[in-house]
Amino acid sequence: MKRILAIASIAGRSAVRSRVVGVLFVLLLLAIVGLPLTVRSDGTLAGEVQVRLTYTLGAVMIILSIATWWAGCAAVATEVQAKQIQLVITKPVGRHEIWLGKWLGLVALNAALLALSGAGIYGMLRWKLGTEQFSDKQRRELREQVLVARRTLAPVPLDVRSDAQQIFEQQRKQGALPTNQPVEQVLQAIEESIIRAAHTVPPGYKRTWEFELPESPAGERPVVLRYKFGSSAISKGTLVQGMWLVGPVEAADRFQLQQINATEGTHVVEIPAAAFKGARRIAVEYANINPLPIAVLFEPRDGLELLTYAGSFEGNLVRSLLLALFQLAFLGAVAVSAGTLLSLPVAALVSGYILLLVKAGDYVASLARDKGTYFGAGPQSTVGETALDWLLRGLLWVESAIVQPLQGPNLLEYLSAGRLLEWSAVAGAFLIKIIIYSGLCAAVTTFFFNRREVALPSE
Amino acid sequence: MSEANDIIIQAEHLTKVFRDFWRRPKVKAVRDVSFEVRPGEVFGLLGPNGSGKSTTLKMILGLLHPTSGYLRVLGQSPREVKIKSRMGYVPEESYLYPYLTSEETLNFYGTLFDLNPAERKARIDQLLEMIGLQHARRRTVGEFSKGMARRIGLAQALINDPDLIILDEPTSGLDPLGCRQVKDLIVALAKRGKTVALSSHLLADVEDICDRVAILYNGQIQAQGTINELLEERERYRLTLPSEVPADVLKRVLAAVRTELGAEPDVDHPRRDLEQFFIDVVEKARREAKESSGVGPSQGVAEYLTPKETVLEQLATTSEQPVAVENRSHEDEEKKRAADEKLKKLL
C-alpha cells in the first residue's frame, strides 16, 4: 500500500507543480463565480437557482472530465516516453501497483477539486439568498421545488404482455400482420400501442393510474404531482382543461383540482399530505373536461410522477458530488488504462472513443432493444434480415450489456429539480463504476502491461 | 565452472530481435550472447554505440524481454518483481521526475523499497553527502546540470543497499572528478561483496574498475575474460626501477640490457595521468572556494554502503589528499627538468 500511495503522491505533486491544478482551480472559479453572472432564467428565484445549479455543476463536470481524461492518458504514457517509468519498474513494484497509484492520484485530485467546487457552489447560493431581497412566496417555492430532495415515484407499470399476445393472434388470423417483420418486433409495437392508449384520455373520459408510496405522506409538506402531455390539437401551446382527483385507491371522495395547462412544458400540482389519508396505495385520476374535443396524451415514460419529500438539499448535493466523483473515477480508469498500454495520442483517441460509447449507452441500448433489421430493409422490402443484421445486433447487444450498467441518473437534472439521489444509487455506482468496471480496467491493463516492454528503442 | 546458485547473472544464447508494428523483424540487437557474472565481480560490457550493451542490460533489468535464450538474474527470471529489491539501476541518462527535489526523489524511491522513514532519512542524508549534493537537497531535479542529475540517479540506485548494481554508461555526463568518484564507489561496493554489471564505451573506465569484460560488436560477444587475460602481452616485459636510481647504476643496467638482449631499450619518465592531475587541481580550488551552486565536496562512500574499516581506508585514499598541488607541481617540474638532463647524459 505504501508503494501505491507513494506513486499516487507523485501524480499529485506532478499536477500541482506543473501548474495543472492552478489552471484547473482558476477555470473552476470562473465557472462557479463567473458563469452565474451570465445566465438568464424564467424570472423566478427557483428558476434562477435551477439554472445556476445546472450551469455551474455542469461546467465543473465538463472541466474535470476533460482534465481527468487527458491527465489519465498522460499519467503513464508520458513516463514511458520520458523513460521515468524505467526507474520505477526496476524497483520492487508490481505493475498493478503502478496502475493503482496513478489512478488513485487522479481520484484524490478529483475528490479535492470536486469538494472545493461543491463548497463553492453552495457558498455562492447561500450568499445570494442571504444578501438579496426575495418575497416569502419565492423563497417557499425555492425551498419546496429546488432546495429539497424529493423521491420520484412513477405509476405502477401496466402488464400488457398478455393483451399484446391476444391482439397479435387476432390480427394474425385476419392476415393483418406484415410477413417480413420479426414476431418480436411486431409484439413490441403492439405493446407500445397499448401503453400509449393507456396514457391517452379522450375528450369527456377519465383515466386512473395507481402509485405505490414507500410511506404515506404526513406533516406540512405537500406532495407534488408533476406531469407533461401532448394533445390532439393541431396548434402548439393549445390550452387544455382537466380535473385531477387524488386519494387512496379505495376512497370515494378524493382531493380535486381543476387545471388549465398549455401542452408544452412540465406542469406541477401541489397535493396536501392530508389528501392521502395515511394510505400508501394511491389513485391519481385525470378527467378530460375540455370544452373542445381534444384528446390528451401523457408521456408513457415520464409523463406522470409523484414527488414526495425525502431529505435535505445539502444531503442531495453531497450524494450528487459522490456520484460525480465515481463517474470521474471510472473515466480516469479508462484513460489511465489506455495511457498505460498505448502512446499518448493513440490512448487519447481510443479512450475518447470508449467514453463516447459509454455516453451513448442509452441510444445503443435502444438500438439493441429494437429488434428490427438494420441492413435488410423496411416494412416494404421483401429481403428480410441479413447476416449483417445478425452480426450488428449481436455487437449492439454486447455493447449495450457492457455500457448499460454504467448509465445512472442525470445528476444535474436531479439536483436542480430537487429530486432525491438515493444512497442506494451512490452505493450502486460505487459497486459498478469503482469496484467492477474500474477493477476490470485494472485487471485487463495489468495483464497486458506485464507483457509490455517499456524500453523499446521506438518508445 | 561455478555452481548455478552462485551465479548472479547467467545468460545463455541470449538473442533480442526488435520488431516493427507488423511484427516483422527489424533489428537483431543481441545475437546468441552467453556470459556469467559471479558474486562480488565487476563485469563490464564494452562496445561501440549500437553494439547491444544497453539492450543486454535492459533484458537483465526486465525492461526488455529476450526473443530467445536463457536469462537468470539472482536465480530468477528478470521479470520477477521480488528480485528488484536486491537490485539497483543507474540508467544512461537521469530519468528522474523534474518537479521533485533531490530529497523527495530519494524519498520516493526509498518508499518503493519499503524502507522505514527513519532508515530512509538516514540513507538519504548519507547519500546526498556522498554525492556532494547535501546543499541542494531542496532544489528540484529539473534545475540541475546533467552531472548533478546523474549523481542523483546514482544515489537512487543505492538507496536499497543492493546486492547487484547495474550501471548503463555510468560515467557519461560526469566531469573527471565525478567519473573518479563513481569509479571509486564501484570499487568500494565490489570490496563489500556487491556485484556490479556495467556498460561503457570508455575503455579507460572499464580497465580501471572491471574484473572481467565482454566486448560486444554488432550484438555479438567478440572477446570475453579478465582484464589481465585480455590485455597482458606475455611475451613482453616492462621493468620499473625504484625512484632516485644513481646515474651510474642506471647506465650499467642499460648497458647490460644492450649486451644481453642486443636491442635498444625504451627509457622514459613515468607520467601521472591527466585524470589524477585534474582532480588534484579541482580539489585545491574547492578547498579555497567558499560556495558553489554545483556539486559540493564528496564525503566518501555512504556509511551504510561501506564496512567501518573500509570507510577509513576509503577516506584515507580518496578524500584526504591535503597536498599543495601547485607547490608539488612546481617541485615536480624542477625534478623533472633535472631528471631529463640526467637521462640525456646517460643516453
Side-chain angles (χ1 to χ4, degrees):
Chain A
M1 195 62 195
K2 266 190 214 164
R3 286 189 283 266
I4 294 172
L5 291 178
I7 293 169
S9 77
I10 286 287
R13 278 192 191 140
S14 156
V16 173
R17 293 188 186 166
S18 60
R19 298 192 182 90
V20 170
V21 170
V23 171
L24 276 177
F25 190 78
V26 170
L27 288 174
L28 292 174
L29 205 67
L30 281 175
I32 294 165
V33 180
L35 206 57
L37 303 175
T38 65
V39 297
R40 295 274 179 276
S41 72
D42 59 1
T44 65
L45 175 63
E48 189 184 335
V49 171
Q50 268 187 333
V51 174
R52 268 175 172 249
L53 283 172
T54 310
Y55 275 44
T56 50
L57 199 59
V60 166
M61 279 303 286
I62 289 172
I63 292 166
L64 289 183
S65 297
I66 293 172
T68 303
W69 171 56
W70 189 254
C73 287
V76 178
T78 50
E79 285 199 16
V80 172
Q81 212 171 3
K83 300 180 182 175
Q84 289 149 341
I85 199 80
Q86 293 185 18
L87 281 187
V88 179
I89 281 177
T90 50
K91 306 288 182 279
V93 180
R95 307 235 172 155
H96 65 285
E97 292 176 306
I98 296 175
W99 189 96
L100 275 174
K102 296 290 179 195
W103 179 70
L104 274 181
L106 211 56
V107 173
L109 194 64
N110 270 317
L113 290 172
L114 261 180
L116 275 176
S117 303
I121 290 170
Y122 187 72
M124 286 290 291
L125 189 62
R126 284 286 155 214
W127 181 76
K128 181 183 173 63
L129 294 176
T131 54
E132 293 179 31
Q133 296 293 317
F134 299 105
S135 68
D136 287 347
K137 184 173 174 272
Q138 280 185 315
R139 286 184 185 273
R140 194 180 138 263
E141 263 178 20
L142 178 69
R143 234 178 9 250
E144 288 177 356
Q145 291 175 21
V146 183
L147 299 186
V148 67
R150 294 177 298 185
R151 186 171 282 114
T152 309
L153 300 164
V156 176
L158 300 169
D159 182 13
V160 296
R161 191 69 186 177
S162 57
D163 292 344
Q165 285 282 6
Q166 263 186 348
I167 294 170
F168 178 81
E169 289 303 326
Q170 278 172 9
Q171 291 194 352
R172 196 164 59 91
K173 280 177 194 161
Q174 293 164 7
L177 294 177
T179 51
N180 62 344
Q181 296 296 309
V183 173
E184 261 312 307
Q185 195 189 353
V186 177
L187 266 172
Q188 197 179 320
I190 296 171
E191 279 176 17
E192 278 171 15
S193 70
I194 296 172
I195 292 172
R196 215 170 290 123
H199 285 79
T200 306
V201 191
Y205 281 77
K206 60 182 179 183
R207 186 77 69 192
T208 306
W209 294 270
E210 286 188 12
F211 286 80
E212 188 74 52
L213 273 57
E215 59 193 36
S216 183
E220 296 289 302
R221 289 194 178 89
V223 172
V224 172
L225 172 67
R226 181 156 55 195
Y227 58 96
K228 49 187 173 186
F229 61 87
S231 77
S232 58
I234 297 168
S235 59
K236 277 188 173 179
T238 305
L239 291 176
V240 175
Q241 191 175 349
M243 171 80 81
W244 287 104
L245 297 102
V246 182
V249 171
E250 59 278 3
D253 59 324
R254 292 177 182 153
F255 169 80
Q256 294 183 10
L257 192 71
Q258 198 171 316
Q259 289 281 291
I260 298 174
N261 301 120
T263 49
E264 300 288 309
T266 305
H267 312 284
V268 291
V269 168
E270 286 189 2
I271 302 157
F276 294 88
K277 297 174 183 166
R280 285 179 50 226
R281 198 162 177 91
I282 301 298
V284 172
E285 199 175 352
Y286 181 79
N288 187 345
I289 55 170
N290 209 53
L292 295 171
I294 297 171
V296 172
L297 169 66
F298 291 91
E299 293 286 331
R301 201 179 286 264
D302 58 352
L304 213 55
E305 290 169 334
L306 274 184
L307 308 175
T308 60
Y309 177 83
S312 69
F313 170 76
E314 288 77 6
N316 225 24
L317 179 63
V318 168
R319 285 187 291 275
S320 72
L321 291 175
L322 281 173
L323 285 169
L325 178 65
F326 300 155
Q327 196 163 316
L328 290 170
F330 167 70
L331 195 157
V334 172
V336 172
S337 293
T340 304
L341 302 176
L342 304 162
S343 66
L344 181 56
V346 182
L349 284 174
V350 169
S351 58
Y353 180 72
I354 292 171
L355 295 168
L356 208 64
L357 285 182
V358 173
K359 197 78 189 153
D362 282 335
Y363 175 65
V364 172
S366 72
L367 281 179
R369 266 200 311 271
D370 178 13
K371 298 183 178 70
T373 58
Y374 306 100
F375 294 101
Q380 276 75 42
S381 170
T382 53
V383 177
E385 282 191 300
T386 65
L388 274 177
D389 285 315
W390 281 95
L391 183 69
L392 188 60
R393 189 175 303 138
L395 284 174
L396 283 171
W397 187 86
V398 170
E399 195 193 318
S400 171
I402 294 171
V403 302
Q404 200 54 31
L406 290 163
Q407 309 307 313
N410 184 331
L411 305 178
L412 303 180
E413 196 186 302
Y414 268 63
L415 191 70
S416 64
R419 285 186 174 203
L420 174 73
L421 288 159
E422 307 257 12
W423 275 112
S424 60
V426 177
F430 179 77
L431 179 73
I432 290 168
K433 290 181 179 170
I434 304 290
I435 304 292
I436 299 176
Y437 278 76
S438 298
L440 268 173
C441 280
V444 172
T445 308
T446 303
F447 177 82
F448 289 108
F449 194 23
N450 272 327
R451 280 151 189 78
R452 186 181 178 190
E453 296 177 293
V454 293
L456 290 171
S458 56
E459 299 288 4
Chain B
M1 184 78 181
S2 312
E3 286 295 313
N5 285 347
D6 290 342
I7 299 169
I8 299 291
I9 301 171
Q10 188 175 16
E12 286 173 16
H13 308 293
L14 206 57
T15 297
K16 178 65 192 175
V17 179
F18 290 118
R19 297 176 190 277
D20 65 9
F21 181 80
W22 306 107
R23 309 286 301 153
R24 292 174 305 194
K26 199 167 68 175
V27 180
K28 208 167 188 177
V30 175
R31 303 156 189 251
D32 198 27
V33 163
S34 298
F35 62 87
E36 286 176 0
V37 181
R38 293 164 202 132
E41 198 170 48
V42 181
F43 182 80
L45 283 168
L46 198 60
N49 294 335
S51 57
K53 308 181 297 286
S54 292
T55 302
T56 306
L57 286 188
K58 282 170 184 169
M59 284 193 280
I60 293 169
L61 288 158
L63 295 171
L64 292 173
H65 309 153
T67 308
S68 65
Y70 176 84
L71 180 61
R72 280 284 176 275
V73 179
L74 296 162
Q76 309 240 23
S77 159
R79 286 158 77 173
E80 190 64 54
V81 173
K82 272 188 295 183
I83 60 165
K84 306 288 166 71
S85 57
R86 296 172 60 197
M87 292 168 73
Y89 168 49
V90 183
E92 192 177 354
E93 283 177 42
S94 305
Y95 306 137
L96 304 166
Y97 296 104
Y99 44 81
L100 293 187
T101 64
S102 325
E103 194 173 7
E104 286 170 342
T105 300
L106 297 181
N107 190 49
F108 169 63
Y109 292 113
T111 313
L112 297 187
F113 284 105
D114 226 357
L115 298 177
N116 66 56
E119 194 175 2
R120 220 157 54 216
K121 191 185 174 310
R123 287 188 181 188
I124 290 168
D125 289 344
Q126 289 177 39
L127 282 170
L128 286 174
E129 211 165 291
M130 182 186 90
I131 59 171
L133 287 177
Q134 62 274 49
H135 65 291
R137 63 191 305 148
R138 298 205 202 290
R139 274 175 64 190
T140 53
V141 174
E143 300 169 18
F144 283 180
S145 69
K146 192 179 176 188
M148 289 163 85
R150 291 281 294 159
R151 285 160 193 267
I152 294 290
L154 182 68
Q156 64 76 29
L158 299 172
I159 189 97
N160 59 322
D161 191 11
D163 294 330
L164 169 64
I165 301 123
I166 292 168
L167 305 99
D168 196 357
E169 306 282 359
T171 54
S172 148
L174 292 175
D175 57 23
L177 198 69
C179 289
R180 177 60 170 270
Q181 283 172 350
V182 168
K183 287 193 277 185
D184 286 347
L185 177 70
I186 291 171
V187 171
L189 291 169
K191 268 189 193 171
R192 217 192 141 199
K194 308 287 183 190
T195 308
V196 179
L198 59 90
S199 77
S200 182
H201 58 259
L202 301 175
L203 310 184
D205 289 355
V206 174
E207 192 181 348
D208 283 354
I209 52 175
C210 287
D211 300 316
R212 279 195 314 122
V213 296
I215 299 173
L216 283 165
Y217 181 77
N218 200 21
Q220 285 177 309
I221 291 185
Q222 307 293 332
Q224 187 174 183
T226 64
I227 294 288
N228 275 347
E229 279 167 7
L230 295 175
L231 302 184
E232 200 174 62
E233 297 176 70
R234 299 194 71 86
E235 67 281 5
R236 294 184 69 194
Y237 295 91
R238 181 163 59 191
L239 184 66
T240 305
L241 300 174
S243 58
E244 301 298 333
V245 177
D248 57 325
V249 174
L250 184 60
K251 217 169 188 176
R252 284 204 299 275
V253 169
L254 290 171
V257 171
R258 283 188 198 105
T259 311
E260 294 296 324
L261 299 178
E264 190 62 31
D266 286 336
V267 181
D268 61 8
H269 294 291
R271 290 170 60 171
R272 293 160 59 210
D273 65 51
L274 186 58
E275 182 186 290
Q276 185 57 52
F277 178 73
F278 177 88
I279 289 164
D280 291 344
V281 171
V282 173
E283 279 298 331
K284 178 176 181 293
R286 184 171 281 161
R287 275 194 296 275
E288 286 168 0
K290 295 286 178 209
E291 273 183 23
S292 164
S293 62
V295 177
S298 163
Q299 300 301 313
V301 179
E303 199 180 332
Y304 75 93
L305 293 171
T306 322
K308 294 288 178 212
E309 59 277 12
T310 320
V311 172
L312 295 174
E313 284 170 21
Q314 195 66 29
L315 290 173
T317 53
T318 58
S319 300
E320 293 183 9
Q321 293 176 334
V323 182
V325 176
E326 240 172 42
N327 292 345
R328 198 177 67 174
S329 300
H330 185 66
E331 281 171 21
D332 283 352
E333 282 303 308
E334 282 183 0
K335 274 186 189 169
K336 188 173 181 299
R337 263 199 300 278
D340 279 343
E341 290 298 313
K342 210 158 75 177
L343 199 61
K344 269 181 207 164
K345 281 180 197 164
L346 283 170
L347 294 170

